[in-house]
Amino acid sequence: KYEHSKTFGLITSASSNIVWSPDENAPSTDSRSTGAGRAIVGADEEVLCWDVKKGELLSRWRDSGCNAEVTAIAHSKADPDIYAVGYGDGSIRIWDSRIATVIISFNGHRSSITTLAFDKSGVRLASGSRDTDIIIWDLVAEVGLFKLRGHKNQITALHFLQPGNISYDGTDDGRAGADGGLVADGSVPAEVDAGFLLTTSKDALIKIWDIATQHCIETHVAQSNGECWSLGVSSDAGGCITAGNDGELKVWSIDMPGLSKASLQISEAPNRRYLRERGTFYRQGKDKTQGVTFHPRSGYIAAHGSEKAIELWRIRSENEVQKTLARKRKRRREKALAQGNEDGMVIAASLKDDEKIEDISTADISEVIVPYVIIRTGGKVRSVDWAGSRASKVLQLLVATTNNQVEKYAIPTKHKEKKSKVEEPPEYNRTFAVDMPGHRTDVRSVALSSDDRMLASASNGSLKIWNVRTQSCIRTLECGYALCSAFLPGDKIVVVGNRNGELELFDIASSTLIDTVKAHEGPVWTLHVHPEGKSVVTGSADKSAKFWSFEIVQEEIPGTKRTTPRLKLVHTRTLKVADDILSVRFSPDARLLAVALLDNTVKVFFVDSLKLFLNLYGHKLPVLNMDISYDSKLIVTCSADKNVRLWGLDFGDCHKAFFAHQDSIMQVAFVPHNQDGNGHHFFSASKDRMIKHWDGDKFEQIQRLDGHHGEIWAMAVSRTGEFVVSASHDKSIRIWQQTDEQIFLEEEREKELEELYENTLTTSLDQEEETGAEKSEVTAAGKQTVETLMAGEKIAEALEIGMADLELMKEWRSAKTSQTNLALPQRNPILMAYGNISAEEHVLGVVQKIQAAALQDALLVLTFDKVTSLFTFLRIWAERQWNMPLTCRILFFMLKTHHRQIVATKTMRSMLDAIRVSLREALQQQKDEMGFNMAALKFVGNQVRDKGTREYVDEKVWDEEEKGEKGRKKRAFVDHRLLASSIPFPQHLLIVHHLPAPFKPDYYSRPLSTPHQPIEQRPSQHKATQSPHYIFSPQPTPLTLEKSRRLSLRKHAPYQRADEQGTDQVEEEARVGFETEDASGNAEEGGG
């Protein structure tokens, strides 16, 4: 059995966007020092993490259960390690970048994800898809909250608007938390946190959704002509830009204070508008704008279409805009005065009056947003992201292009110097690029060396040599538009045939082009090295096949009399045919040469005399490739007519014709030897993205290898037959390795039929959904998949077993009252296998194993008679308080779903009453527990906050107090545990104070009366932890600073011996009391 083992040659695929991440979040410490950050990109079904500076691959994120390609990536601002990745099959996975594993999986969309967005706190995720739906996901509960429907075409952008840090008067109170979340200081009510969602779609609409009430509160037409392709929101969420066709960019202002007030109102505001159009400006490129993004810290905007350019604009400051407006007014006034008539005077006077009135918000948008620079990139831009975590004088832009490379550009920002009359655009430069580990264009040919250790891949413009074992690129050489390639004997030289009719010879060791031979008048479509390794044959569109022998010639070194040996291709013979040659092949015994022509035939010639031996007719379209088996008895041909044909080379008879693929078949190859009796097995690769493994003796398909996301152009089978290499339009090169696992053809057929059945099943379920009643604006975020159906069946099966067991045990218990020695009955073998567990434990175990995101869809599978059984178990779980969150979740969902039937069923009433009673008890208990814990945490929080505040005493006052204390002890000692003992703690709260292991309480024996160190800030001298230790602040205690200075220890000698004795012994010896002297000098004793 062959299985996919490795993918390489792919840097970034054009299906997904790019995300920049700083090095601080790097998974390993050694990769943190580069400073250029990391690029997170989609690469077919994987997510790759590149070090931008070194061009190294840091990690790959791949879920083995998912073969769909990555279509969208979003980075959580609250937790820098968390990424949301959307896939082409509508699934979403939440990845932890440090451990490169999936934390949560969601599946709610019917087609590929187009955009993802986290909210500020990072606990909710919004996803938009091609199926026009928006789903809000809760990452804590791991469920879909709801699905929003309103757009009529694919969603192109999403953005959360959370007016939490806007105070009631509309001013920014600046109390947002460090992570952008809301500060729980009571300034903003909790419901504001729900916020709003701004969305755009290809239907040219921009909408604002209220997440709390789950409906759309405002809709505008975003673009005047055609679709709206992208949305950029400013960092303060005060404005946004929508982009569409013809380079049109529309600017909108967002009324955040208004939204903040709206979120507090119970009644709906009468026709209030929160989005206001501010104007339109245009890109220089007139194609559709695929991305708009605001710089997070500076006033710059980047936008790009699908061309090789990114346009940057600068947002002018208020002063600049005022100056420009003043200049324009002055010019208009001068022009009016120049007219000299009465009208001109009136206009000039009115302009003078306007000077005071005109406001920046009324200025034309072209005065505020001005073009800055156009960056020319190395390929067509797919997506961009701003790089650089801190503000600097240089803007950094990370670009993913469609030609498989990642680039980073540095653009200087505008300086506030005295500017010249003509503003010149700043000079940008490309600082870093990740381009070595992949081709810029599609790989057209792959060839393996004789020992299978090196792989040559040739494309338009470059030839790369790869180490097969490590998948690293060891050589990159420039070539023409390559169509075919091969290693010459010795594996030191690669020959490449290109579209200009040339043969190029490359020396791998020295990375040089040795020779270029003008071989043909037309493109060299094919070449094959003679089995003896002394010559090569090339076939071309000029209707000729030419034979070239390898010769070593002594060539003079210019300027010297010495010579050096050089390999030369010497043309020996030419075979003329009637049509263009598409493929040539020597038989392994070197007796025959097969030539495939454009006229759909294959002609077989004798190699020595070049006489025609066989004519193979049968294909309806040209034969694109062919191969001859190890024993020179079979020839396999593949054609653009989607058929593979097997022919005998004795008589030219067609053994079998297979309808093999759904598209043109680009390449076929036999296994090169017969060691395992598989010499007549062959592989075929097609533009339908499949590789198939066939048995040429039994005429059966053995296996199907699918994994590529684009047409497969080239394929090579290793000399040992242990692996197959394929190259595709998706820019990836894949290795399919032979495993030790046996393959059973019946199993493979069954697997294919199951896949077919599952696909039709899920599509029929989707259609049922669509043909239902009129779509409501908000629905449940569920999707029936094969997994949810199977999970539902598992629950139903567990309920059946559980109910039978409950009945059985009930009968046994009633019988046992009369017969005390009655043995346990024979229970279900499944329960016995799990360690003789009870039925309720078994059912709970089955339900707990189902993913939270799939649980609701699984419960929908249950019929109503199973629902009553489920309620029986819910009652037991509630009574015993087992997994209360799950129990409540299932209960409320089932009540909501089957409300009408439950109300109509009399038997359910008693059961629901019992559940209600036990549930209330359990929930009350949990509520009390949580309340107690919250009070305790609040108390500890207050202690920590008080401990964090310091009171500093004036030095002179301190000295005066010192002098005034006559007859009192000058040196007093305090134990922080004594201070703690006088703090009024709650009765049940136990605070455990962990001391570091090598702790030596030497600060107990230091005097309190040091003038420069008040009691609240005494650092510890021990070396275990370098951070200073503070004692409890006296603020919440009845002790004042004055009194605490007068504390003395009755016995402090043991603490002074702490150096010689262990801490435990010291604490054992110290029975500490404390005495406070009042003003009259009387001593009061207090227990320590």
Side-chain angles (χ1 to χ4, degrees):
K1 188 172 186 175
Y2 285 83
E3 281 181 1
H4 173 250
S5 68
K6 301 176 188 104
T7 304
F8 56 97
L10 184 59
I11 297 164
T12 173
S13 53
S15 63
S16 163
N17 60 314
I18 189 169
V19 172
W20 181 83
S21 162
D23 281 328
E24 286 77 60
N25 310 328
S28 57
T29 46
D30 58 343
S31 60
R32 292 188 187 192
S33 55
T34 59
R38 300 177 301 148
I40 314 293
V41 292
D44 289 347
E45 72 276 14
E46 299 179 317
V47 177
L48 302 182
C49 174
W50 293 97
D51 184 320
V52 177
K53 191 171 187 178
K54 294 180 184 170
E56 282 178 8
L57 182 63
L58 299 175
S59 65
R60 283 175 189 271
W61 311 344
R62 174 157 192 213
D63 185 358
S64 54
C66 177
N67 282 331
E69 61 184 344
V70 174
T71 53
I73 304 173
H75 187 197
S76 169
K77 296 286 178 285
D79 186 343
D81 298 331
I82 300 299
Y83 291 83
V85 179
Y87 293 83
D89 59 358
S91 63
I92 300 164
R93 285 166 180 74
I94 310 296
W95 289 87
D96 186 332
S97 62
R98 281 187 183 272
I99 50 177
T101 48
V102 178
I103 311 169
I104 312 167
S105 293
F106 293 127
N107 204 341
H109 289 286
R110 292 195 303 279
S111 54
S112 67
I113 306 294
T114 51
T115 177
L116 294 166
F118 281 97
D119 71 347
K120 269 186 197 169
S121 55
V123 296
R124 284 174 308 173
L125 176 74
S127 61
S129 164
R130 280 178 194 267
D131 63 9
T132 74
D133 295 338
I134 299 154
I135 300 182
I136 309 290
W137 306 92
D138 184 341
L139 302 187
V140 179
E142 301 185 12
V143 291
L145 298 175
F146 47 86
K147 188 184 281 187
L148 298 170
R149 290 173 162 171
H151 284 291
K152 297 285 178 274
N153 209 326
Q154 80 171 51
I155 310 300
T156 52
L158 302 164
H159 194 276
F160 277 97
L161 298 173
Q162 286 169 285
N165 53 348
I166 308 285
S167 63
Y168 298 120
D169 59 354
T171 57
D172 196 330
D173 64 0
R175 278 189 292 233
D179 60 354
L182 303 185
V183 178
D185 59 354
S187 60
V188 180
E191 58 267 24
V192 179
D193 193 29
F196 300 86
L197 190 69
L198 188 65
T199 64
T200 58
S201 163
K202 247 173 82 173
D203 60 8
L205 298 180
I206 179 168
K207 288 176 178 273
I208 298 181
W209 303 81
D210 187 336
I211 296 172
T213 58
Q214 301 175 14
H215 78 291
C216 177
I217 57 171
E218 195 171 331
T219 305
H220 294 270
V221 177
Q223 300 310 127
S224 56
N225 51 351
E227 300 92 347
C228 174
W229 286 103
S230 56
L231 165 79
V233 181
S234 64
S235 51
D236 61 350
C240 67
I241 292 176
T242 56
N245 295 329
D246 305 332
E248 180 190 49
L249 299 166
K250 202 173 271 192
V251 184
W252 306 81
S253 66
I254 304 169
D255 180 11
M256 286 301 272
L259 282 173
S260 184
K261 284 173 187 164
S263 61
L264 300 172
Q265 286 171 354
I266 297 164
S267 60
E268 202 171 320
N271 296 330
R272 177 76 191 266
R273 288 284 175 214
Y274 305 106
L275 269 181
R276 223 172 57 250
E277 196 180 324
R278 284 280 284 109
T280 307
F281 63 104
Y282 289 87
R283 282 176 44 236
Q284 276 194 11
K286 293 298 171 218
D287 56 330
K288 65 179 184 190
T289 307
Q290 290 189 324
V292 181
T293 166
F294 281 79
H295 193 281
R297 282 167 301 279
S298 314
Y300 291 88
I301 303 163
H304 67 88
S306 52
E307 296 304 315
K308 296 183 178 184
I310 302 163
E311 295 180 42
L312 259 64
W313 286 270
R314 186 172 64 82
I315 303 169
R316 284 176 167 164
S317 66
E318 203 165 328
N319 290 345
E320 280 183 277
V321 177
Q322 295 283 16
K323 280 178 191 171
T324 327
L325 294 175
R327 263 204 310 276
K328 283 202 168 178
R329 278 196 303 271
K330 190 180 174 186
R331 243 181 263 135
R332 289 210 302 273
R333 199 164 63 236
E334 283 169 0
K335 199 174 176 184
L337 288 167
Q339 288 176 4
N341 55 19
E342 277 185 34
D343 292 345
M345 294 295 186
V346 172
I347 293 165
S350 67
L351 283 168
K352 198 158 191 179
D353 294 339
D354 286 351
E355 208 163 308
K356 299 169 190 112
I357 304 159
E358 189 151 0
D359 179 27
I360 182 170
S361 61
T362 61
D364 186 53
I365 202 69
S366 59
E367 304 292 344
V368 183
I369 298 172
V370 290
Y372 188 57
V373 67
I374 296 176
I375 299 168
R376 303 287 172 194
T377 57
K380 289 183 177 177
V381 181
R382 169 57 182 88
S383 81
V384 299
D385 194 19
W386 293 103
S389 50
R390 52 187 72 85
S392 68
K393 290 180 181 175
V394 177
L395 301 172
Q396 293 182 323
L397 200 61
L398 194 64
V399 184
T401 60
T402 54
N403 65 349
N404 196 27
Q405 66 177 340
V406 172
E407 299 178 308
K408 193 174 184 190
Y409 289 91
I411 310 106
T413 54
K414 186 176 168 61
H415 299 303
K416 294 186 173 71
E417 299 154 7
K418 188 79 178 163
K419 61 180 188 297
S420 56
K421 294 270 182 186
V422 184
E423 272 195 28
E424 285 188 3
E427 284 193 4
Y428 62 89
N429 61 337
R430 189 174 95 157
T431 49
F432 301 113
V434 184
D435 54 4
M436 282 304 285
H439 286 274
R440 299 287 75 75
T441 51
D442 288 3
V443 174
R444 290 286 169 180
S445 167
V446 289
L448 282 159
S449 62
S450 60
D451 57 3
D452 292 336
R453 286 167 64 182
M454 284 190 294
L455 173 75
S457 60
S459 69
N460 177 9
S462 68
L463 166 73
K464 285 184 182 281
I465 311 294
W466 306 84
N467 180 330
V468 173
R469 193 174 55 82
T470 62
Q471 297 96 56
S472 54
C473 177
I474 47 182
R475 293 283 185 275
T476 301
L477 306 148
E478 275 186 33
C479 66
Y481 194 129
L483 297 173
C484 52
S485 62
F487 276 92
L488 296 190
D491 298 334
K492 293 194 171 113
I493 290 166
V494 176
V495 60
V496 174
N498 67 26
R499 208 160 66 169
N500 303 333
E502 295 169 342
L503 290 176
E504 295 171 305
L505 291 169
F506 294 95
D507 181 16
I508 298 168
S510 61
S511 300
T512 52
L513 174 66
I514 304 172
D515 199 5
T516 303
V517 181
K518 181 67 181 155
H520 292 272
E521 296 303 313
V524 180
W525 287 114
T526 175
L527 59 84
H528 192 215
V529 178
H530 193 280
E532 289 171 9
K534 292 178 182 172
S535 65
V536 64
V537 64
T538 57
S540 164
D542 66 0
K543 303 179 185 177
S544 68
K546 292 187 178 179
F547 295 80
W548 310 81
S549 64
F550 310 135
E551 286 188 17
I552 306 294
V553 294
Q554 294 295 330
E555 212 172 62
E556 274 192 19
I557 300 169
T560 65
K561 289 183 178 177
R562 286 182 295 143
T563 58
T564 179
R566 280 279 302 276
L567 179 82
K568 279 272 188 195
L569 287 183
V570 179
H571 179 214
T572 54
R573 297 188 290 173
T574 305
L575 171 68
K576 290 274 185 188
V577 286
D579 219 327
D580 294 14
I581 295 175
L582 297 179
S583 179
V584 292
R585 207 82 199 161
F586 284 110
S587 63
D589 62 5
R591 194 172 68 92
L592 302 172
L593 174 72
V595 180
L597 305 182
L598 199 62
D599 63 4
N600 312 346
T601 64
V602 175
K603 292 182 165 41
V604 183
F605 297 90
F606 290 107
V607 173
D608 47 7
S609 61
L610 292 186
K611 286 211 173 128
L612 182 64
F613 171 48
L614 294 171
N615 241 332
L616 309 179
Y617 295 101
H619 283 290
K620 295 180 181 65
L621 286 169
V623 171
L624 301 177
N625 194 257
M626 57 193 176
D627 197 19
I628 299 172
S629 65
Y630 76 102
D631 54 7
S632 306
K633 285 184 178 168
L634 290 179
I635 180 169
V636 62
T637 57
C638 66
S639 161
D641 64 10
K642 308 173 191 173
N643 283 302
V644 165
R645 283 177 180 261
L646 264 175
W647 317 75
L649 270 180
D650 302 333
F651 309 105
D653 55 325
C654 179
H655 289 186
K656 184 73 176 170
F658 306 91
F659 179 72
H661 289 272
Q662 302 300 319
D663 209 332
S664 302
I665 304 164
M666 301 306 293
Q667 206 142 3
V668 284
F670 272 108
V671 173
H673 59 74
N674 193 33
Q675 284 168 9
D676 306 322
N678 59 352
H680 287 176
H681 290 188
F682 63 92
F683 293 88
S684 62
S686 162
K687 281 163 78 172
D688 69 359
R689 308 174 181 191
M690 300 278 182
I691 295 172
K692 291 188 179 177
H693 186 194
W694 305 86
D695 186 333
D697 291 329
K698 295 179 183 166
F699 312 133
E700 286 180 322
Q701 180 188 320
I702 300 170
Q703 198 187 351
R704 192 182 73 194
L705 304 171
D706 45 1
H708 278 293
H709 296 275
E711 298 91 338
I712 300 171
W713 298 126
M715 177 184 69
V717 180
S718 67
R719 299 285 187 277
T720 57
E722 283 177 7
F723 64 87
V724 179
V725 180
S726 58
S728 158
H729 172 64
D730 63 17
K731 304 283 194 301
S732 71
I733 301 169
R734 290 171 190 255
I735 295 179
W736 312 83
Q737 193 83 36
Q738 190 175 8
T739 60
D740 296 333
E741 195 183 333
Q742 288 287 319
I743 194 161
F744 299 99
L745 300 187
E746 293 80 12
E747 271 184 24
E748 292 297 310
R749 294 301 87 76
E750 274 174 27
K751 209 187 285 177
E752 283 176 29
L753 286 170
E754 264 176 34
E755 274 177 33
L756 197 66
Y757 169 69
E758 285 171 10
N759 289 340
T760 50
L761 180 72
T762 46
T763 45
S764 65
L765 285 169
D766 288 345
Q767 281 164 359
E768 276 170 32
E769 237 177 74
E770 284 166 16
T771 52
E774 192 184 323
K775 282 187 181 179
S776 57
E777 194 176 49
V778 60
T779 58
K783 176 189 171 186
Q784 284 294 2
T785 61
V786 177
E787 285 77 28
T788 57
L789 292 173
M790 283 172 69
E793 284 169 13
K794 279 180 188 169
I795 296 174
E797 191 186 339
L799 288 171
E800 245 173 60
I801 295 168
M803 287 307 287
D805 192 70
L806 282 181
E807 284 296 317
L808 187 70
M809 295 308 284
K810 191 179 174 186
E811 284 170 18
W812 177 73
R813 283 191 197 96
S814 61
K816 200 176 178 191
T817 51
S818 54
Q819 301 171 2
T820 47
N821 297 334
L822 190 67
L824 264 170
Q826 183 63 40
R827 297 179 72 207
N828 191 297
I830 292 174
L831 300 177
M832 302 294 283
Y834 280 120
N836 205 8
I837 57 171
S838 64
E840 50 271 28
E841 278 179 299
H842 174 60
V843 177
L844 184 62
V846 168
V847 174
Q848 278 174 332
K849 279 176 191 163
I850 297 166
Q851 282 188 338
L855 181 61
Q856 291 185 355
D857 292 320
L859 290 169
L860 287 173
V861 177
L862 300 179
T863 52
F864 189 67
D865 61 321
K866 291 282 183 293
V867 172
T868 51
S869 312
L870 182 62
F871 273 86
T872 308
F873 285 102
L874 286 170
R875 184 170 58 83
I876 298 168
W877 297 341
E879 279 169 8
R880 300 185 188 177
Q881 296 188 19
W882 287 354
N883 200 340
M884 289 311 294
L886 182 67
T887 305
C888 293
R889 206 182 133 203
I890 296 170
L891 176 66
F892 301 146
F893 178 72
M894 296 314 279
L895 286 172
K896 202 161 58 177
T897 311
H898 299 282
H899 181 256
R900 285 181 184 171
Q901 290 103 314
I902 290 169
V903 170
T905 314
K906 284 182 182 178
T907 52
M908 295 292 285
R909 180 163 184 171
S910 56
M911 196 183 287
L912 285 171
D913 273 341
I915 292 175
R916 189 187 61 182
V917 171
S918 48
L919 200 63
R920 282 203 172 164
E921 277 175 22
L923 291 176
Q924 188 59 46
Q925 200 173 327
Q926 289 212 342
K927 190 179 167 187
D928 294 346
E929 199 176 301
M930 286 160 87
F932 182 82
N933 287 339
M934 279 172 72
L937 287 168
K938 207 169 186 179
F939 181 81
V940 173
N942 288 339
Q943 294 291 341
V944 171
R945 193 162 58 248
D946 293 340
K947 201 171 168 185
T949 54
R950 308 272 167 264
E951 288 179 8
Y952 291 98
V953 183
D954 193 291
E955 197 177 321
K956 289 176 184 173
V957 176
W958 186 287
D959 286 344
E960 283 167 17
E961 283 180 0
E962 287 277 309
K963 288 169 190 171
E965 285 185 3
K966 286 175 185 174
R968 292 179 187 155
K969 290 179 183 175
K970 284 270 179 176
R971 298 163 76 83
F973 303 88
V974 67
D975 178 358
H976 74 291
R977 288 170 297 186
L978 301 180
L979 282 178
S981 70
S982 61
I983 295 169
F985 271 57
Q987 225 170 356
H988 305 293
L989 183 65
L990 172 67
I991 291 194
V992 182
H993 185 66
H994 291 285
L995 298 179
F999 182 79
K1000 294 204 287 186
D1002 48 5
Y1003 65 77
Y1004 294 130
S1005 51
R1006 291 173 63 251
L1008 284 184
S1009 53
T1010 319
H1012 299 291
Q1013 279 191 307
I1015 187 166
E1016 289 83 17
Q1017 198 188 16
R1018 289 204 312 273
S1020 150
Q1021 301 300 313
H1022 69 77
K1023 298 294 184 286
T1025 53
Q1026 292 302 316
S1027 57
H1029 278 249
Y1030 297 105
I1031 67 164
F1032 277 95
S1033 166
Q1035 277 179 323
T1037 74
L1039 294 172
T1040 58
L1041 185 68
E1042 179 68 31
K1043 278 188 178 178
S1044 65
R1045 281 177 57 243
R1046 285 189 256 142
L1047 282 172
S1048 67
L1049 294 180
R1050 182 172 292 166
K1051 295 178 183 173
H1052 55 260
Y1055 287 93
Q1056 288 172 329
R1057 296 205 306 276
D1059 286 333
E1060 294 90 47
Q1061 297 174 351
T1063 311
D1064 294 338
Q1065 192 182 340
V1066 170
E1067 289 179 357
E1068 192 62 33
E1069 283 183 31
R1071 299 284 177 266
V1072 186
F1074 64 83
E1075 53 193 36
T1076 49
E1077 294 177 30
D1078 59 5
S1080 60
N1082 297 328
E1084 294 170 10
E1085 279 198 10

